[in-house]
Every structure is written in structure tokens, then in C-alpha cells.
Amino acid sequence: MTDKSNNTTHFGYKTVESDQKVDMVASVFHSVAAKYDVMNDLMSMGIHRLWKRFTIDCSGVRQGHKVLDLAGGTGDLTAKFSRIVGDTGSVTLADINDSMLKVGRAKLRDRGIVGNVTYVQANAEELPFPDNHFDLITIAFGLRNVTDKDKALASMFRVLKPGGRLLVLEFSKPDSEALNKVYDFYSFNILPKMGELIADDGDSYQYLAESIRMHPNQDTLKGMMETVGFESVEYHNLTGGIVALHRGYKF
């Protein structure tokens, strides 16, 4: 969480100046962008595809909708939403990191997904879109990297249409102590080594493991969404709470 009293925040387990975190996170994702998809498959043993499929199933997206895939990275959700909303709808893939956007744009164009997708480099805390603009906003595995999460959630609420919904897919807290211990061992002993071998960058994956532990747990994030105005907020634990999908509405 950001400490507004002295303008510091966390970068993994480190305490840093709030205005430094954006550049530090950017450095991580510039480093991992090229191997991002490969590492996602290896780290999750492919299960991230099921988590994203569940997110799609919970989205309620229909033909003609406007979707914002925030922190959309290499475009997995964007690709699926593009097919659902069709020619009368649109999907905006937004990410603060230019390297991730470039990888995502190249991947989607290689798949022939071009007509209804736009790409925007944007900070989640200050979204450059009109009020009441999107039918759906998703942010998958990105909120934990945001410096001021409350500000970002408020920004998402502003650009969402009345009747629209926000879906936050993010690593969370396992719901059993036994699973938590196994997950900790994997995250801090295996994951950085995988990052070093596959992406030649163990430090970035050490940060990613730490950032997961510093992210608000399920109930805390639910409360944060409610505080900025979202209603009927609920969450679903996936894979024993290793990941949670939060859903909230703007009425």
C-alpha cells in the first residue's frame, strides 16, 4: 500500500519513494516482456489460461460492447474480447509499459486481430478516457504493480458506464496454511531460478514474488473497491486462493 503521509510505497519488500515506483516497475517489465508469455505458461503450468477463461465467462460481454483491458500486457484477454464484441464493439488494450504494448500489438496482429482493437499507453491512476465510457474493464495481474491502488480503482470507476462492471484478476492469499507454505517455497526458491534460466533475469521474478505477498488480500481489496463506489462486490477464489477474481458494478 502507498503511505500517503510520507509519500513512500513498497516495491516488493523494499520501501521506496512513491514517484520512483513507476520507473522501477517499468524496468521489470521492459526486462521480462520478450519472455512474458513463455514464463506465464511455465510459472502456472498453463493454469493461467483457465483463470483468464473464467474471467471471460464472468464478464457478461456482448457484441457491440466497449472493453478496456487494463494492464493488458501481451493481449490474451484482448484477443478473446475482440472476437466477442465483433465489428460493432471495441477493445482498448492499455498498459503503462511500452515494451509490453509492443509485444502485445505484434502478437495480436500476427493472429489477424486488428479491426476493433486499439492500443494506449496509460497509467491506471489517471486513465485518459471520458467519463462513463466502457461497458467492462478488466485488469489481470496488474493491480499489484500500481503505486496508488485506491486512485487507480477510482479512475476505473470514473470511466466505467453505469451498469458496467470491473473485473480484477490477481494473485491473492491461499485459503489454507498448507497451500500457503508450498506456494511460498515455490515462489521464493523455484520462481527466481526459472526467471534466471528462461528470461536471464532472476531479480525481476524475485520482485514479482514479493509483490504478490504485498498485495491486499481478498477481503481488503473488496473493501477498497466498495470505498471508491463499486457495488455488489464479490470475489471468487481460484486454485485455492492463489488467484482471486473480484467483480464489482457501477450502478
Side-chain angles (χ1 to χ4, degrees):
M1 304 293 288
T2 301
D3 185 345
K4 296 180 176 66
S5 63
N6 63 10
N7 206 31
T8 62
T9 189
H10 60 80
F11 177 77
Y13 289 162
K14 299 175 184 176
T15 299
V16 299
E17 296 295 322
S18 295
D19 58 5
Q20 295 177 333
K21 182 172 180 176
V22 169
D23 289 339
M24 295 172 77
V25 171
S27 178
V28 169
F29 284 92
H30 284 311
S31 176
V32 304
K35 298 287 188 179
Y36 187 78
D37 286 337
V38 173
M39 283 296 296
N40 272 356
D41 279 330
L42 290 173
M43 286 188 302
S44 71
M45 295 172 283
I47 298 173
H48 75 98
R49 299 178 186 275
L50 300 179
W51 299 332
K52 290 170 182 174
R53 170 50 60 189
F54 183 74
T55 301
I56 298 286
D57 292 343
C58 291
S59 70
V61 165
R62 302 190 302 275
Q63 190 170 9
H65 274 181
K66 292 181 180 178
V67 176
L68 173 61
D69 183 11
L70 186 57
T74 58
D76 286 348
L77 289 178
T78 291
K80 292 178 170 55
F81 285 133
S82 173
R83 297 185 182 98
I84 296 171
V85 302
D87 294 339
T88 58
S90 64
V91 184
T92 301
L93 195 167
D95 202 293
I96 196 172
N97 188 275
D98 181 59
S99 295
M100 295 293 286
L101 275 179
K102 288 177 179 175
V103 172
R105 184 187 295 113
K107 185 171 80 172
L108 295 185
R109 287 181 176 174
D110 285 346
R111 294 183 181 179
I113 300 171
V114 292
N116 60 359
V117 176
T118 57
Y119 303 87
V120 177
Q121 188 170 2
N123 187 332
E125 298 174 22
E126 299 176 353
L127 292 172
F129 307 110
D131 294 356
N132 307 317
H133 187 67
F134 294 102
D135 298 286
L136 171 75
I137 299 174
T138 60
I139 180 166
F141 306 114
L143 186 60
R144 73 181 188 280
N145 297 307
V146 174
T147 303
D148 191 331
K149 296 173 180 59
D150 297 307
K151 188 176 180 181
L153 290 169
S155 186
M156 295 176 218
F157 185 83
R158 177 185 65 79
V159 303
L160 195 63
K161 290 180 181 179
R165 70 185 77 181
L166 168 67
L167 297 176
V168 181
L169 181 67
E170 188 55 88
F171 292 107
S172 200
K173 183 173 177 56
D175 52 18
S176 80
E177 187 57 34
L179 179 59
N180 195 49
K181 289 180 179 178
V182 172
Y183 187 44
D184 271 351
F185 179 83
Y186 171 78
S187 298
F188 292 105
N189 294 277
I190 307 300
L191 182 55
K193 289 183 173 64
M194 290 173 59
E196 184 65 37
L197 288 171
I198 305 300
D200 194 27
D201 189 353
D203 289 344
S204 289
Y205 285 92
Q206 177 74 25
Y207 157 72
L208 292 174
E210 292 176 4
S211 71
I212 292 168
R213 299 312 183 280
M214 297 300 291
H215 185 67
N217 66 21
Q218 289 91 324
D219 288 321
T220 301
L221 179 55
K222 179 177 183 287
M224 291 166 66
M225 291 173 65
E226 291 169 339
T227 296
V228 302
F230 287 101
E231 299 181 46
S232 300
V233 180
E234 59 182 357
Y235 62 83
H236 300 275
N237 283 335
L238 306 174
T239 316
I242 287 174
V243 165
L245 177 68
H246 284 69
R247 178 170 56 185
Y249 296 83
K250 178 178 178 177
F251 294 128

